[in-house]
Amino acid sequence: MGIDNFAALVGNTPLLPLQRFADRQNLKAKLFAKIEYLNPAGSIKDRTAWGIVRDAEERGLLKPGQLIVDLTSGNTGIGLAAIAAARGYRSKFYLRNTISEDKIRLLQQYGAEVVLIDNAVFLQAGAIHRIIERVRRENPDAYYTNQRGNPANPRVHFETTGPEIWRATQGEVDIFVAAVGTGGTISGTGRFLKEQKSDVEVVVVEPGAASLPSVENPYPDSIEGVHKVTEVEADYLPDNFDPRVVDEVIVTETAQARRFAQMLAQEEGILAGTSSGAVLYAASELGRRPENAGKTIVAVIADSGERYLSPPKLGPGAEQAPAPDQAAA
């Protein structure tokens, strides 16, 4: 198959200085945002989707009209659903039942079938492997994209996201900040930047205890697409996450993430998602440190806040979380 319109629009997103935001936060460093919601289906995961589908096509693993399937927190599924529609494939995705209604509607708009899984199931021992086995078992003739373990995921960030940041900063990037979902962005981009400049710091933001599901509270107000990477059983870490590229992990809670996303909207006119708010919180913490004065920090704005305007979904009997604008106030 030749390159289609979707693939032609992936990547080459702008890198914008957040001067007003940085001034309000009294940052000593220079802060830049990589605006990834300008990809064609609205998030950085469009790169992942394009990389995975391109790789599968080149290796002859996808046939015309075949079903594409995976377990996703939304954005990779949306990217895959869009590129599937553009290339004549069908798509089906399994999601936690706490995923925002906005993301579910987007998936369905692209023609994808959506299967929701109770969030409490993910707390059981070995849950991820059992769920993936279910996905494969229920779709024996489908192409399972395996975003958590497919090497095409970090490879596309090594080939595109990293070089774009390097060129845009003219090699002056000092700190790269992102969250971990599948591990592709942080691993691929971080590896590329470190190969160009060995002292580039790669920093991950992860959710704090109050933002994570537990047996006592399986339905917290969580940060979609932001996963914990420290003190986690190996089975719960995606294969694509390479901890060797990570220099530091910064913890934040959902309320802080929402607040920083709202500040970005109101101070820079950039409507970012909750995960981007978490990344901005971490970038701001780094930017205030005296040792980082004058350094260049690049933060990933993974998707748009338009995907999180509906009130967060909590489980049966759980106290309803405030709407996003109230939580950020």
Side-chain angles (χ1 to χ4, degrees), residues 252-275:
T252 189
E253 299 288 357
T254 305
Q256 291 170 318
R258 293 194 192 283
R259 182 166 62 89
F260 273 76
Q262 187 178 61
M263 285 192 294
L264 183 66
Q266 296 180 354
E267 294 170 11
E268 295 281 3
I270 297 171
L271 188 61
T274 316
S275 68

Side-chain angles (χ1 to χ4, degrees), residues 76-135:
T76 305
I78 291 167
L80 285 167
I83 199 167
R87 285 169 127 82
Y89 304 117
R90 295 171 295 125
S91 60
K92 178 181 179 181
F93 302 103
Y94 292 69
L95 302 87
R96 295 173 186 262
N97 65 347
T98 53
I99 294 297
S100 74
E101 290 289 347
D102 308 288
K103 287 184 178 179
I104 293 171
R105 292 192 186 105
L106 280 169
L107 283 165
Q108 293 169 335
Q109 191 73 5
Y110 284 118
E113 180 182 349
V114 174
V115 179
L116 298 179
I117 300 172
D118 194 297
N119 196 51
V121 172
F122 287 84
L123 297 175
Q124 300 169 6
I128 295 295
H129 293 298
R130 284 201 304 275
I131 293 169
I132 290 172
E133 287 172 4
R134 173 190 167 186
V135 172

